[in-house]
Amino acid sequence: GAGVSQSPSNKVTEKGKDVELRCDPISGHTALYWYRQSLGQGLEFLIYFQGNSAPDKSGLPSDRFSAERTGGSVSTLTIQRTQQEDSAVYLCASSRTGDETQYFGPGTRLLVL
Amino acid sequence: KQEVTQIPAALSVPEGENLVLNCSFTDSAIYNLQWFRQDPGKGLTSLLLIQSSQREQTSGRLNASLDKSSGRSTLYIAASQPGDSATYLCAVKSGGSNYKLTFGKGTLLTVNP
């Protein structure tokens, strides 16, 4: 079946612009996660959704970052007034209730010039 | 705060060799530990998941062990093949959270034909 999909696969933007990154989880997966992978760094947790609620936003690095999830499915991660340090690969994962495994999408590579 | 360290950062071996990748974590109060594989330009693929009550898990040529009390895990790859070349990531679920994964920075494995 279809896995987690993310769009766009690559995004180049200018400093100060806003960007939206999209994640389509596996159908039926109630939990959705966003991670960021910066060059030379490990993956860092950003936010977790259970259904449409985000009980843990502790990983969002600043108030320029926000995320929402609608219909218990698609999620959008928005970065406002992008900075060069926001350049990274943004990975989305989903999991179903009772399954410990998180299934990852291919990521969106964001480059802020 | 949970910290995950992976050693070595990079490893190059000839085809057919058996090898061990190491992962250590600072907080032994974990729910589980996962090993992932990441291919260039792609997302993560879950290889093995070990629950905190388990000592090891096996899948084909892969064997992962867990020593929770000492904060260590190893991933053993038998009879390595060029197709095993990838970055291997270790992640733990812990810290009172039943969803947040803390990742190491990974080991870049190259298996030479």
Side-chain angles (χ1 to χ4, degrees):
Chain A
V4 177
S5 61
Q6 293 186 245
S7 61
S9 54
N10 293 281
K11 176 71 176 180
V12 181
T13 190
E14 295 179 346
K15 177 182 174 181
K17 295 286 182 67
D18 298 351
V19 295
E20 285 189 353
L21 312 179
R22 176 186 169 109
C23 172
D24 283 86
I26 294 172
S27 179
H29 281 198
T30 57
L32 186 147
Y33 319 80
W34 283 97
Y35 294 87
R36 178 170 74 173
Q37 187 174 32
S38 303
L39 189 64
Q41 302 297 316
L43 276 84
E44 58 175 325
F45 168 84
L46 297 179
I47 189 170
Y48 155 70
F49 286 93
Q50 181 61 244
N52 293 334
S53 299
D56 189 347
K57 305 178 183 179
S58 63
L60 294 177
S62 77
D63 58 7
R64 296 185 295 104
F65 287 71
S66 63
E68 64 175 12
R69 189 179 185 195
T70 55
S73 181
V74 172
S75 176
T76 303
L77 177 68
T78 301
I79 309 173
Q80 295 178 309
R81 305 181 301 283
T82 52
Q83 303 294 312
Q84 289 181 332
E85 61 263 28
D86 299 335
S87 297
V89 177
Y90 290 82
L91 290 161
C92 174
S94 69
S95 66
R96 61 175 181 262
T97 303
D99 185 354
E100 301 276 5
T101 303
Q102 295 183 17
Y103 298 86
F104 281 78
T108 293
R109 283 153 193 77
L110 175 66
L111 177 61
V112 182
L113 301 176
Chain B
K1 177 185 174 185
Q2 179 73 269
E3 293 183 1
V4 179
T5 303
Q6 291 187 246
I7 296 173
L11 180 64
S12 181
V13 301
E15 182 177 3
E17 191 164 296
N18 302 326
L19 59 99
V20 174
L21 307 180
N22 297 290
C23 172
S24 61
F25 45 94
T26 54
D27 182 356
S28 62
I30 66 170
Y31 290 98
N32 60 48
L33 182 145
Q34 256 180 293
W35 283 93
F36 291 88
R37 168 184 174 140
Q38 185 173 31
D39 293 280
K42 297 188 178 181
L44 279 65
T45 301
S46 180
L47 298 174
L48 290 165
L49 184 150
I50 311 176
Q51 299 290 355
S52 61
S53 58
Q54 297 175 323
R55 296 284 293 182
E56 66 176 349
Q57 283 286 336
T58 298
S59 176
R61 294 182 294 108
L62 305 179
N63 176 276
S65 69
L66 173 64
D67 184 343
K68 196 172 72 165
S69 61
S70 69
R72 296 178 187 273
S73 175
T74 61
L75 179 66
Y76 174 83
I77 302 177
S80 58
Q81 303 171 357
D84 295 331
S85 298
T87 296
Y88 290 80
L89 295 162
C90 169
V92 297
K93 186 178 288 186
S94 65
S97 155
N98 64 349
Y99 51 83
K100 184 189 303 185
L101 292 176
T102 303
F103 284 84
K105 294 184 180 180
T107 293
L108 176 60
L109 173 65
T110 302
V111 181
N112 301 300

